[in-house]
Amino acid sequence: MTVRETLDFSGRCLGVGTRYELLAELSRREKQAGIKPDPEIDAFMKATAMAGQKTSLGTDYVLKILGMDICSDIMVGDDMRRGISGGQKKRVTTGEMLVGPAKALFMDEISTGLDSSTTFQIVKFMKQMVHIMDVTMIISLLQPAPETYDLFDDIILLSEGKIVYQGPRENVLEFFERVGFKCPERKGVADFLQEVTSKKDQQQYWCRKDEPYRHISVPEFVEHFNSFHIGQKIDDELRVPYDNSKTHPAALVKERYGISNWELFKACFAREWLLMKRNSFVYIFKTTQITIMSVIAFTVFFRTKMKAGQIDNGVKFYGALFFSLINVMFNGMAELALTIFRLPVFFKQRDFMFYPAWAFALPIWVLRIPLSLLESGIWIILTYYTIGFAPGASRFFRQFLAFFGIHQMALSLFRFIAAVGRTQVVANTLGTFTLLVVFVLGGFVVAKDDIKSWMIWGYYISPMSYGQNAIVINEFLDKRWSIPFNQSISVGKVLLQSRGMYTEEFWYWICVAALLGFSLLFNLLFIVALTYLNPLGDSKSVILDEGDENKNKKQSSSDGQHNLKSIEMSSPSAASIFEEYS
């Protein structure tokens, strides 16, 4: 997607919050007071207060503020397709949240991987956003440049899990000078703050020449801050109980998502359709592939060599049907790679409450149905009469329905495997193993009667066994296979019984229903996996054991030097601190 499309989708999912209600209240009060609003401002406010729009003025505004208007129609890009630069991608990620109605934003290490100039530009745009749109941002940065540091209004200094200082940026040096430490003239304030709490680096900043230096620990800094005028002011504010009667009704969000379920579905459906058109080469390639394989199939199993009504030739029909089944199933394997490719973006947007898992999965399921009909239809049209299957029209359409069910089942199975595996290597390994089990227990490679009794359950839970039964029942119960083999049974039923297949016509409909049931089941499991599973990866949380005093005493000075850096560099730790503040 392009930068503009990405932000438009984010804004559409996040909604407009209380903008519409506030605008309605403002219009009511303006009418009562006889005030006529400026037409341009009024039009702008109404345009930004409408939810569910495919494009919005809010997106244009954020693009302009973040300096992204010059690349708004360029693809974001990925490993295979070159797109915008790394710094611009960072700004896109930030813009995804800024287009929403959020009034409190918590950002962890947005400068990682960026040069100081880009970081400065981003934070500068953030400051404009804070003061223009009246929002609050808490941002953790790793060793910011002096010019970036000077953009902030307030500083929160964390060390060893405690708040050493929290207040205006202008007063932070005053606080440390009061404790006994002074920042040198040519030293960056951010670097000074990062080192002043370190046991190893603290001494160089000691400014009380008439007193011998002594190490000031983090708990002592906290005590000094509590007695500092900024700390006392914060303490006085927190001592006053908050009057809940003054709370605005819109202050507490009661809905989990920004828009209704139907609007969420429409937004995700529109995005899925856009992505399908952008990735049309993949689907064209799949269609071409199944066309080529169908041509190979009807040249190998040509009808002039396939005589019906005989036991010997029945084995050839078995092979043709099994070959068709394998090709239709394997055609759905591309769904695994496509799903794996999209999971990182999904997990990010799911955790940011853009949409629930079902809103992501349902459009994929619905939009793959026409593709299943197309690809199954191509296979049937090119192979059915050229191979010489049962010539009746009803048999033709019933086999088409069976292959449609098989294809839908395969697509949903591979999607589910991708959601469980979450990485290409794990999903491919799991998918290959699943395919082997499904093929072996499908009823053709190993006949049902040859499967051991303790493994027969695998036959009944294998989706391929139902697909195999449906297509062979449709073929071998045709009247041309009703030639008597002996006094009690026909040739068609002998062929079915030789592989342990069902011999009654009604089992065809049961098997097709089972295939559609498996498709439904795998899609539901896909939604469940997307809802509850998280991306695979190691946690980098820093856990401080405050109760173990002996361990703290044995800590080396180098450990003390990197305490603040560790907390800053660890995304989960910073995120937990942000969560505590919110």
Side-chain angles (χ1 to χ4, degrees):
M1 298 169 70
T2 64
V3 173
R4 184 184 299 277
E5 289 166 349
T6 303
L7 297 190
D8 276 332
F9 176 75
S10 301
R12 190 174 179 184
C13 288
L14 293 172
V16 294
T18 57
R19 292 178 199 163
Y20 182 80
E21 290 79 6
L22 292 174
L23 184 61
E25 176 67 16
L26 177 63
S27 298
R28 187 183 64 80
R29 293 186 183 184
E30 285 176 341
K31 287 182 180 178
Q32 288 179 350
I35 300 172
K36 187 176 180 181
D38 181 271
E40 293 184 359
I41 296 177
D42 188 56
F44 174 78
M45 293 182 68
K46 288 178 179 177
T48 56
M50 296 298 294
Q53 298 181 95
K54 293 182 180 179
T55 59
S56 68
L57 284 175
T59 299
D60 296 329
Y61 178 69
V62 171
L63 285 170
K64 190 70 176 176
I65 280 188
L66 292 177
M68 300 289 289
D69 50 330
I70 59 173
C71 60
S72 60
D73 296 319
I74 298 176
M75 295 278 186
V76 174
D78 50 47
D79 294 338
M80 300 297 291
R81 180 189 290 118
R82 182 177 178 179
I84 58 178
S85 67
Q88 289 169 333
K89 285 181 180 178
K90 284 278 184 182
R91 278 179 269 179
V92 170
T93 303
T94 304
E96 281 185 297
M97 299 308 297
L98 295 181
V99 293
K103 289 293 184 182
L105 297 160
F106 303 86
M107 304 183 185
D108 184 25
E109 288 186 32
I110 58 172
S111 62
T112 304
L114 301 181
D115 59 83
S116 58
S117 175
T118 306
T119 304
F120 174 77
Q121 291 296 329
I122 292 176
V123 177
K124 182 181 176 182
F125 295 139
M126 301 275 195
K127 183 173 183 178
Q128 293 177 5
M129 180 76 69
V130 165
H131 292 289
I132 293 172
M133 302 188 69
D134 194 25
V135 300
T136 300
M137 293 185 186
I138 294 182
I139 304 173
S140 74
L141 292 178
L142 182 64
Q143 294 176 319
E147 60 271 14
T148 303
Y149 168 85
D150 291 338
L151 292 172
F152 285 89
D153 300 310
D154 296 281
I155 299 297
I156 301 173
L157 181 62
L158 304 170
S159 183
E160 296 181 7
K162 294 181 174 60
I163 298 177
V164 175
Y165 177 85
Q166 176 186 347
R169 174 177 50 82
E170 294 80 6
N171 299 105
V172 65
L173 294 181
E174 175 193 351
F175 164 69
F176 281 103
E177 285 180 16
R178 177 180 172 182
V179 180
F181 300 97
K182 186 174 182 179
C183 178
E185 291 184 6
R186 296 190 178 184
K187 182 77 172 181
V189 179
D191 293 334
F192 165 74
L193 295 178
Q194 198 159 307
E195 295 174 356
V196 72
T197 56
S198 165
K199 189 173 183 179
K200 182 178 180 181
D201 298 322
Q202 191 182 87
Q203 186 175 358
Q204 61 182 311
Y205 302 117
W206 184 255
C207 63
R208 295 178 180 175
K209 304 301 181 182
D210 55 336
E211 297 180 18
Y213 163 75
R214 69 179 186 86
H215 172 65
I216 306 295
S217 63
V218 171
E220 287 181 90
F221 274 122
V222 174
E223 289 179 11
H224 281 290
F225 178 68
N226 291 335
S227 62
F228 189 55
H229 67 90
I230 299 294
Q232 289 180 341
K233 181 180 178 183
I234 294 174
D235 189 55
D236 292 341
E237 290 177 356
L238 293 176
R239 286 182 185 277
V240 179
Y242 183 71
D243 186 2
N244 289 326
S245 63
K246 296 180 180 179
T247 304
H248 193 279
L252 185 63
V253 178
K254 297 181 175 63
E255 284 80 23
R256 190 174 180 85
Y257 299 101
I259 52 178
S260 65
N261 289 339
W262 174 243
E263 291 295 331
L264 282 171
F265 174 76
K266 288 201 300 182
C268 291
F269 188 90
R271 182 182 68 162
E272 187 62 31
W273 176 242
L274 174 67
L275 292 175
M276 282 185 66
K277 290 190 291 184
R278 291 270 164 82
N279 294 328
S280 58
F281 172 78
V282 175
Y283 303 104
I284 294 171
F285 181 82
K286 283 176 62 185
T287 305
T288 306
Q289 181 187 43
I290 203 167
T291 303
I292 293 171
M293 292 307 298
S294 62
V295 172
I296 294 173
F298 75 68
T299 52
V300 172
F301 301 97
F302 202 61
R303 65 182 300 167
T304 56
K305 305 293 184 182
M306 308 275 283
K307 304 294 183 183
Q310 301 174 11
I311 295 290
D312 293 340
N313 286 323
V315 178
K316 297 178 183 178
F317 280 91
Y318 255 125
L321 291 168
F322 182 70
F323 184 73
S324 300
L325 179 64
I326 288 177
N327 274 283
V328 172
M329 275 203 70
F330 267 106
N331 188 255
M333 198 165 185
E335 199 72 11
L336 188 144
L338 288 172
T339 304
I340 287 287
F341 185 72
R342 297 180 57 183
L343 284 181
V345 173
F346 163 76
F347 284 128
K348 182 189 74 171
Q349 295 180 338
R350 180 200 67 178
D351 294 341
F352 285 164
M353 298 299 171
F354 278 39
Y355 48 76
W358 66 262
F360 173 79
L362 201 56
I364 298 176
W365 183 9
V366 172
L367 286 171
R368 295 301 185 273
I369 291 176
L371 288 174
S372 286
L373 292 171
L374 173 65
E375 293 173 9
S376 302
I378 288 173
W379 184 271
I380 290 292
I381 290 170
L382 292 177
T383 63
Y384 194 83
Y385 289 110
T386 51
I387 290 177
F389 292 122
S394 63
R395 298 286 179 187
F396 174 88
F397 287 109
R398 284 166 67 172
Q399 187 166 328
F400 171 66
L401 179 61
F403 278 135
F404 169 74
I406 292 165
H407 196 261
Q408 275 291 296
M409 178 275 298
L411 291 175
S412 55
L413 173 63
F414 287 120
R415 278 198 295 269
F416 170 58
I417 291 172
V420 172
R422 287 163 284 174
T423 63
Q424 196 71 49
V425 175
V426 176
N428 281 336
T429 305
L430 188 61
T432 304
F433 174 75
T434 304
L435 279 179
L436 284 173
V437 174
V438 165
F439 280 139
V440 169
L441 299 176
F444 180 80
V445 177
V446 179
K448 176 186 175 183
D449 299 334
D450 295 332
I451 300 174
K452 299 294 184 182
S453 58
W454 56 272
M455 271 294 292
I456 196 65
W457 58 270
Y459 176 82
Y460 291 109
I461 67 168
S462 171
M464 192 169 171
S465 66
Y466 296 96
Q468 187 72 44
N469 270 286
I471 57 179
V472 297
I473 287 172
N474 183 60
E475 173 62 27
F476 292 123
L477 291 185
D478 187 61
K479 61 182 180 180
R480 65 180 186 158
W481 294 96
S482 61
I483 301 169
F485 180 73
N486 55 36
Q487 294 181 351
S488 60
I489 193 168
S490 64
V491 170
K493 289 188 176 182
V494 168
L495 288 166
L496 292 172
Q497 288 180 352
S498 67
R499 309 303 301 172
M501 303 294 178
Y502 301 114
T503 57
E504 289 82 18
E505 193 80 49
F506 67 86
W507 272 103
Y508 166 84
W509 298 106
I510 294 175
C511 291
V512 169
L515 288 170
L516 297 177
F518 272 113
S519 176
L520 177 62
L521 174 65
F522 290 139
N523 276 296
L524 291 176
L525 291 175
F526 175 54
I527 294 173
V528 170
L530 291 178
T531 303
Y532 295 105
L533 295 181
N534 292 315
L536 295 175
D538 296 329
S539 174
K540 297 181 181 178
S541 298
V542 175
I543 300 173
L544 184 67
D545 188 1
E546 296 179 354
D548 192 351
E549 295 181 2
N550 294 328
K551 185 177 178 181
N552 286 340
K553 288 178 182 178
K554 293 178 182 178
Q555 258 187 336
S556 66
S557 61
S558 61
D559 288 335
Q561 176 189 5
H562 294 292
N563 269 334
L564 179 58
K565 293 180 182 177
S566 298
I567 291 173
E568 284 190 344
M569 291 176 68
S570 169
S571 297
S573 297
S576 64
I577 292 166
F578 290 168
E579 189 175 320
E580 184 179 339
Y581 271 96
S582 62

